[in-house]
Amino acid sequence: MSIEALGVTKKFGQFTALDNVDLEIPSGELVALLGPSGSGKTTLLRIIAGLEFADSGTIRFDGRDISDRTVRERQVGFVFQHYALFRHMTVFENIAFGLRVRPREHRPSREKIRAKVQELLKLIQLENLAQRYPSQLSGGQRQRVALARALAVEPSVLLLDEPFGALDAKVRQELRRWLRQLHDEIHITSLFVTHDQEEALELANRVVVMDHGRIEQVGAPDEVYNHPATPFVYNFLGNVNLFHGRVDGGKTYIHERETGHLVYVRPHLLDIARLPNGGDHFRARIKHINAAGPLVKVEAVTDWGALVHVEMPQDRFSTLHLLKDESVFVIPRDLKVFKVHEAER
Amino acid sequence: MARTITLRTTSRSAATSVAQGATLESPWVRWTLTSIAIVFLGLFLFMPLAVVFVSAFGKGIAAYFASFREPDALAAIRLTLLAAGIAVPMNLVFGVAAAWAIAKFEFIGKSLLITLIDLPFSVSPVVSGLVYVLIFGLQGLLGPWLRAHDIKIIFAVPGIVLATIFVTFPFVARELIPLIQAQGNDEEEAALTLGASGWQTFFRVTLPNVKWGLVYGVIICNARAMGEFGAVSVVSGHIRGLTNTMPLHIEILYNEYQFVPAFAVASLLALLALLTLVVKSVVEWKSQQDLKEPEEDWSVEPA
Amino acid sequence: MAITLKKRSILPGFGLTLGFTLSYLALIVLIPLSATFLKASTVTWTRFWQTISDPRAVASYRISFGASLIAALINLVFGLLVAWVLVRYTFPGKRLVDSLVDLPFALPTAVAGIALTTIYSSHGWVGRYLEPLGIKAAYSPLGIVIALTFIGLPFVVRTVQPVLEDLDKDVEEAASSLGANRLQIFTRVILPAILPAALTGFTMAFARAVGEYGSVVFISGNMPMRTEITPLLIITKLDQYDYAGATAIAVVMLVASFTLLLAINLLQKWSSRGQRGESREEAVIAGNPLEPSFVQ
């Protein structure tokens, strides 16, 4: 089922959580709503679910306006940030809940409910924990139970609010992979909220970047990473070097006092050389080297006193034999220029 | 040699007592304070409780049980059960409704509403009884109309029930509001997304989560309903065998110097009070167990 | 556009539950209470003033408020002590003692009244030792204070206890590391922290004592001008079919109750402001429904 949001605005008192947001999610996609806290991503998710009401705008499922439908009528699967498992029910009862509360004429038989729950328990690999209470589960297990509970009612849309936010790094990695697999199997239109850019880029096949209640960019992960539409997206999706500069006759000049334009370069798109190889370059002196990890991180100071971060592979570093306090040339391989007013918006 | 060892031990224990001194008093201060507290509580709590049972059994077990064979005593017990049997369910329904409205929604005038619910706590029981006399009594606002239709509320059972409802009005609500508020809305929202109706959400999700608080609210409401004296005294008219509740019956017996029967009836109410305290302890223990979410349980390997 | 009286919520049942709450509240509490003021307004001002300033009435105020104040002060001191002992020390039977503190909430006042009278009358367990000393406990103002102390006992203990439990030992250790001794720590660090709660409990105990009737009538002896409390005076006037007089005195008591209720509310606001940092944190953990949900 496809989801559409048209001109959705939501205010909490003086605070504008969503400012005239338009968004279209095609059927079957796995989409990430990515943004810092306060960007409005959770509010948008809750409005789509029917847990919150927009001040204006419409929500459509498969082209049908469902703005006035209650959360119950929308039949979405919602996974809450802190899972919201029913603490007085066992894992089994939690998953069966959505089926058991159906009106008698639509309620599956006892055996059918049991079979369905067993099937889901198998899917989340917790068959032997069916009789446990939520408080007896680990965070990752609770997360999977919450997901199974949402899937039990066979929703046409799955909405997840910071699904891995409360888990530690290792469990998060595993669950991410597992959710990706799950989506490949059942192809349910899924929308998840996250503030972790790595998570969004790795898991989603489409990323929606939000800031201050507005959508900054929508696109495939490589698209938003490699071709950020706005300075905010560039900044939010990874480390960045920022220079004041100007564009003149198709050439970019970087200098401290030149204004009018801002130049963004990712650290791994900067190269270091001992000799200027004829192309664009500037001079800098190496201040600090951190060679731990797959990438070597070099900190250098430019002639005009600005700090530059450069990342390079280990083998490149070992061929260069860089030393601290050495003077070198920094060569940008790719850069992105934004007008200052764009960047300061 | 032995001397040095002794010295060392002393200085060591001195060091630990200095370290403890930051957050703990010296043993004799602790002992004195604890003793004073125990003596105070002994005088004001244990002794009154003990004297009820000692006096009730003052002339033996036979005399104690004979007290309950009096028709007036039985009538008083029946009336008390009736009044509580009506007042408690009514205040239970009210308390649950009020707790839902107050804990789950944001609206203007909410804190005023909470204060108003507390009102019967701060009104003297005698005044509580009086307000009903002023409405339903012979000289009251509705007095002439009630007399014309031959309805008796004051100096009759309805007045006793009304006064009991008034004085026990806030108990269930006050117990539930903070509990439901602390639960948050997450589980209710989850239930709604799963297709549960409002009633289903309430009965299957909200209520089970606060059941222990509800149990305590009902039991304390019941204890106060059965034990109410001042308000009921004003509206009852003290008609033996007809409008006397247990506390009023105790008063009459006591004033007639029938101490054993008076304390025998009192011992029933004292037992009820003790039961209430036991339930409270159990409820507190239970809800602590529920709150105590164990840390990540890694004894089970995440599959 | 109407003013929104309520934030829109997806949870159902607001109209039903609030409607029922308000109707029931009005029917059981508000309308009857306002009837009292209505009745009082039918009395002329001079007659009203005569009734409430009558020497016997004034004497009853003095006894009710005076004894309540003394009892509340006793409870303030001993309540702090009991709370301290229950939170900080361990001794055998502590859990039992802790749960028994609530006894005055649960024990019917009439039962407490006859029990205390039996203990403190001249042949009672305590009274027999007081009489040779020339102290008359039962049937005297002292008896009233004893009954009111019993009634108000749990309030200070129960308001101070949680605050004392939440008090960080770090702070005391910090004070100690800065050179403060135990007494200084108590007066400068602990006392300021528990003071708002203690005063709230004190005011609650006082308010409860002022209106108390059941436990007092047995032990006080009920002598006009000497041991007659105000609630008893109301009953006396009712027994004489002096409804106007009873109402006038009741209005005085109601005004006192409302003032005390207001004071308690303000004190509670004050004490919760003292710990706002912590309670806010708790609110976030518990997913406080009162907070707007845009916090991500």
Side-chain angles (χ1 to χ4, degrees):
Chain A
M1 191 158 74
S2 69
I3 305 170
E4 264 175 287
L6 291 169
V8 172
T9 297
K10 174 76 181 176
K11 285 185 176 152
F12 294 103
Q14 293 296 304
F15 180 84
T16 305
L18 289 175
D19 185 4
N20 199 18
V21 166
D22 292 313
L23 178 65
E24 200 185 331
I25 296 165
S27 189
E29 288 213 11
L30 176 54
V31 177
L33 280 177
L34 174 67
S37 41
S39 60
K41 53 193 193 304
T42 293
T43 306
L44 181 58
L45 191 80
R46 288 173 64 87
I47 286 175
I48 291 171
L51 289 169
E52 209 87 66
F53 296 100
D55 297 337
S56 60
T58 43
I59 303 290
R60 287 185 188 159
F61 283 178
D62 268 347
R64 273 175 296 120
D65 183 351
I66 49 105
S67 313
D68 288 331
R69 300 265 182 90
T70 64
V71 55
R72 220 182 140 202
E73 295 161 339
R74 290 191 198 188
Q75 300 186 327
V76 296
F78 198 98
V79 177
F80 290 79
Q81 187 176 1
H82 299 290
Y83 322 129
L85 293 178
F86 306 126
R87 67 197 95 172
H88 61 287
M89 295 183 200
T90 61
V91 167
F92 187 97
E93 289 165 338
N94 261 284
I95 299 174
F97 183 87
L99 299 171
R100 286 179 175 170
V101 295
R102 283 194 185 163
R104 197 169 298 262
E105 61 271 24
H106 300 298
R107 198 185 305 157
S109 68
R110 206 175 270 266
E111 295 74 44
K112 276 203 180 130
I113 293 180
R114 176 166 295 275
K116 177 83 193 172
V117 175
Q118 288 299 345
E119 180 196 321
L120 284 161
L121 281 169
K122 204 171 158 187
L123 184 76
I124 59 168
Q125 298 155 354
L126 291 179
E127 290 131 299
N128 47 354
L129 300 186
Q131 293 312 316
R132 292 228 183 170
Y133 285 92
S135 60
Q136 298 166 313
L137 300 178
S138 73
Q141 291 167 339
R142 285 180 211 178
Q143 175 62 58
R144 282 179 284 164
V145 174
L147 198 63
R149 184 179 68 177
L151 291 174
V153 291
E154 291 174 6
S156 36
V157 178
L158 186 60
L159 306 171
L160 306 98
D161 186 6
E162 295 273 3
F164 314 118
L167 301 171
D168 60 47
K170 196 160 168 287
V171 183
R172 193 187 300 207
Q173 283 280 355
E174 274 172 33
L175 271 178
R176 232 187 253 171
R177 238 170 275 142
W178 179 78
L179 184 67
R180 178 78 248 181
Q181 267 176 17
L182 187 79
H183 183 261
D184 289 345
E185 277 170 40
I186 57 177
H187 286 295
I188 177 174
T189 311
S190 306
L191 182 58
F192 71 96
V193 156
T194 179
H195 63 266
D196 180 348
Q197 37 106 0
E198 199 188 308
E199 189 168 291
L201 298 177
E202 191 184 311
L203 191 53
N205 44 32
R206 188 187 287 261
V207 178
V208 178
V209 187
M210 292 188 69
D211 185 39
H212 285 108
R214 274 186 293 244
I215 290 179
E216 294 277 327
Q217 190 176 5
V218 181
D222 60 319
E223 195 182 329
V224 290
Y225 186 78
N226 293 323
H227 306 287
T230 66
F232 172 80
V233 177
Y234 206 113
N235 237 325
F236 194 69
L237 288 185
N239 295 328
V240 71
N241 288 300
L242 191 154
F243 306 101
H244 291 268
R246 90 188 129 94
V247 180
D248 200 352
K251 252 180 107 68
T252 306
Y253 298 86
I254 300 173
H255 199 285
E256 177 192 20
R257 248 166 282 150
E258 304 296 337
T259 50
H261 290 86
L262 282 174
V263 180
Y264 286 72
V265 195
R266 296 224 186 273
H268 70 271
L269 294 176
L270 287 173
D271 199 7
I272 288 180
R274 290 229 162 66
L275 297 168
N277 57 354
D280 296 327
H281 66 264
F282 57 88
R283 297 173 69 99
R285 196 167 47 79
I286 293 177
K287 208 182 133 205
H288 184 78
I289 298 169
N290 172 12
L295 286 175
V296 179
K297 295 173 182 107
V298 180
E299 249 178 65
V301 184
T302 64
D303 284 351
W304 59 92
L307 207 58
V308 183
H309 296 270
V310 182
E311 287 172 7
M312 63 182 73
Q314 287 281 3
D315 52 347
R316 170 71 184 155
F317 176 71
S318 44
T319 46
L320 274 173
H321 288 294
L322 290 177
L323 295 169
K324 203 179 163 199
D325 290 329
E326 193 180 358
S327 265
V328 291
F329 293 92
V330 180
I331 303 155
R333 284 197 298 259
D334 190 14
L335 45 76
K336 181 97 182 165
V337 183
F338 293 102
K339 290 211 169 91
V340 166
H341 70 266
E342 260 184 312
E344 282 175 354
R345 191 166 59 96
Chain B
M1 189 68 205
R3 209 183 145 77
T4 25
I5 290 168
T6 326
L7 257 177
R8 261 187 141 165
T9 346
T10 333
S11 65
R12 220 209 213 131
S13 68
T16 41
S17 75
V18 166
Q20 279 181 341
T23 51
L24 200 62
E25 293 74 27
S26 66
W28 81 265
V29 172
R30 266 182 284 158
W31 192 85
T32 314
L33 291 180
T34 310
S35 308
I36 297 174
I38 297 286
V39 168
F40 174 73
L41 293 178
L43 271 177
F44 282 93
L45 292 183
F46 303 110
M47 228 188 241
L49 199 56
V51 86
V52 170
F53 292 100
V54 170
S55 309
F57 289 100
K59 286 182 183 158
I61 293 179
Y64 176 78
F65 283 106
S67 316
F68 302 121
R69 280 197 285 276
E70 286 290 315
D72 288 351
L74 289 175
I77 293 172
R78 251 196 314 272
L79 180 58
T80 295
L81 290 176
L82 174 73
I86 298 171
V88 173
M90 287 192 67
N91 284 338
L92 169 64
V93 172
F94 161 75
V96 168
W100 182 264
I102 288 170
K104 292 295 187 198
F105 300 94
E106 262 324 279
F107 53 92
I108 287 174
K110 186 155 125 170
S111 52
L112 177 70
L113 180 60
I114 295 174
T115 310
L116 289 178
I117 290 176
D118 269 347
L119 214 53
F121 272 157
S122 54
V123 173
S124 170
V126 169
V127 178
S128 314
L130 173 70
V131 298
Y132 288 108
V133 173
L134 292 181
I135 294 181
F136 301 112
L138 279 183
Q139 306 200 1
L141 295 173
L142 301 178
W145 185 87
L146 289 170
R147 189 156 54 168
H149 292 78
D150 203 22
I151 302 169
K152 218 164 153 43
I153 289 181
I154 298 306
F155 304 148
V157 175
I160 292 171
V161 172
L162 272 176
T164 307
I165 291 176
F166 183 98
V167 289
T168 58
F169 181 85
F171 283 102
V172 179
R174 289 305 282 169
E175 200 58 37
L176 283 185
I177 290 169
L179 267 181
I180 295 187
Q181 234 159 16
Q183 304 280 342
N185 285 354
D186 273 15
E187 289 183 40
E188 280 81 4
E189 287 182 354
L192 290 172
T193 64
L194 293 168
S197 69
W199 290 112
Q200 283 173 324
T201 304
F202 175 73
F203 282 110
R204 295 186 181 213
V205 176
T206 310
L207 216 49
N209 273 334
V210 297
K211 60 174 180 285
W212 291 112
L214 192 71
V215 166
Y216 178 62
V218 166
I219 201 105
I220 185 80
C221 183
N222 178 61
R224 293 295 279 263
M226 291 193 171
E228 179 48 35
F229 180 72
V232 171
S233 172
V234 173
V235 296
S236 124
H238 304 269
I239 308 165
R240 271 197 176 207
L242 277 180
T243 61
N244 264 351
T245 60
M246 285 163 79
L248 298 178
H249 190 61
I250 292 172
E251 184 195 21
I252 289 179
L253 293 171
Y254 186 83
N255 287 340
E256 290 172 350
Y257 305 104
Q258 300 192 42
F259 292 131
V260 168
F263 277 105
V265 178
S267 74
L268 291 185
L269 291 172
L271 277 178
L272 179 70
L274 285 178
L275 177 75
T276 306
L277 296 188
V278 169
V279 170
K280 181 172 193 240
S281 298
V282 171
V283 163
E284 267 167 8
W285 181 74
K286 275 280 180 192
S287 45
Q288 245 164 28
Q289 296 292 106
D290 286 357
L291 270 184
K292 217 192 304 164
E293 294 217 349
E295 288 300 297
E296 305 287 80
D297 177 10
W298 293 115
S299 59
V300 183
E301 273 301 302
Chain C
M1 173 81 194
I3 310 158
T4 42
L5 292 174
K6 167 191 164 260
K7 278 201 191 128
R8 202 170 166 191
S9 164
I10 62 140
L11 291 177
F14 178 71
L16 178 74
T17 53
L18 189 72
F20 179 74
T21 302
L22 290 178
S23 333
Y24 191 76
L25 179 72
L27 222 58
I28 299 289
V29 179
L30 299 183
I31 294 173
L33 277 180
S34 37
T36 315
F37 288 98
L38 201 70
K39 180 84 185 174
S41 68
T42 60
V43 184
T44 63
W45 176 248
T46 27
R47 171 96 166 70
F48 179 79
W49 181 251
Q50 255 170 20
T51 314
I52 66 168
S53 62
D54 174 68
R56 187 170 164 187
V58 172
S60 83
Y61 306 147
R62 209 169 35 232
I63 292 156
S64 269
F65 287 89
S68 298
L69 188 68
I70 296 169
L73 282 171
I74 293 173
N75 276 324
L76 179 64
V77 173
F78 284 94
L80 277 174
L81 176 71
V82 170
W84 179 266
V85 167
L86 285 177
V87 172
R88 291 298 172 102
Y89 305 153
T90 47
F91 54 91
K94 177 170 140 172
R95 285 200 49 155
L96 180 75
V97 171
D98 193 359
S99 40
L100 264 183
V101 165
D102 284 324
L103 184 73
F105 282 155
L107 192 72
T109 53
V111 178
I114 61 169
L116 289 170
T117 313
T118 308
I119 293 171
Y120 289 97
S121 65
S122 50
H123 301 294
W125 292 353
V126 178
R128 75 174 78 152
Y129 299 108
L130 294 177
E131 204 169 53
L133 304 172
I135 301 170
K136 198 168 183 288
Y139 317 120
S140 75
L142 178 61
I144 301 177
V145 172
I146 290 171
L148 296 180
T149 304
F150 172 83
I151 285 304
L153 194 146
F155 289 100
V156 175
V157 182
R158 290 302 186 225
T159 48
V160 170
Q161 221 175 357
V163 182
L164 214 48
E165 268 162 9
D166 283 352
L167 210 62
D168 251 334
K169 283 218 162 165
D170 296 7
V171 187
E172 286 169 57
E173 281 167 359
S176 160
S177 76
L178 294 169
N181 66 32
R182 197 67 196 133
L183 193 66
Q184 286 171 319
I185 292 173
F186 184 79
T187 52
R188 299 195 182 199
V189 178
I190 300 171
L191 206 56
I194 56 176
L195 193 66
L199 285 180
T200 309
F202 167 79
T203 318
M204 285 173 161
F206 180 68
R208 173 82 209 267
V210 166
E212 178 54 24
Y213 171 71
S215 57
V216 178
V217 282
F218 295 98
I219 203 170
S220 69
N222 307 330
M223 284 163 281
M225 306 300 289
R226 242 176 64 72
T227 59
E228 186 179 52
I229 54 168
T230 312
L232 181 69
L233 185 62
I234 294 177
I235 294 217
T236 312
K237 288 196 180 293
L238 271 181
D239 286 344
Q240 297 161 349
Y241 302 105
D242 179 7
Y243 288 94
T247 309
I249 308 263
V251 164
V252 173
M253 294 221 67
L254 276 176
V255 169
S257 305
F258 293 159
T259 314
L260 286 169
L261 186 64
L262 186 73
I264 291 168
N265 272 349
L266 291 177
L267 277 169
Q268 267 169 342
K269 269 200 190 115
W270 178 42
S271 49
S272 65
R273 195 172 49 206
Q275 338 160 258
R276 196 172 53 193
E278 257 169 81
S279 55
R280 266 198 72 84
E281 222 170 276
E282 267 167 39
V284 172
I285 293 165
N288 190 343
L290 306 182
E291 299 286 319
S293 52
F294 59 77
V295 185
Q296 297 188 343

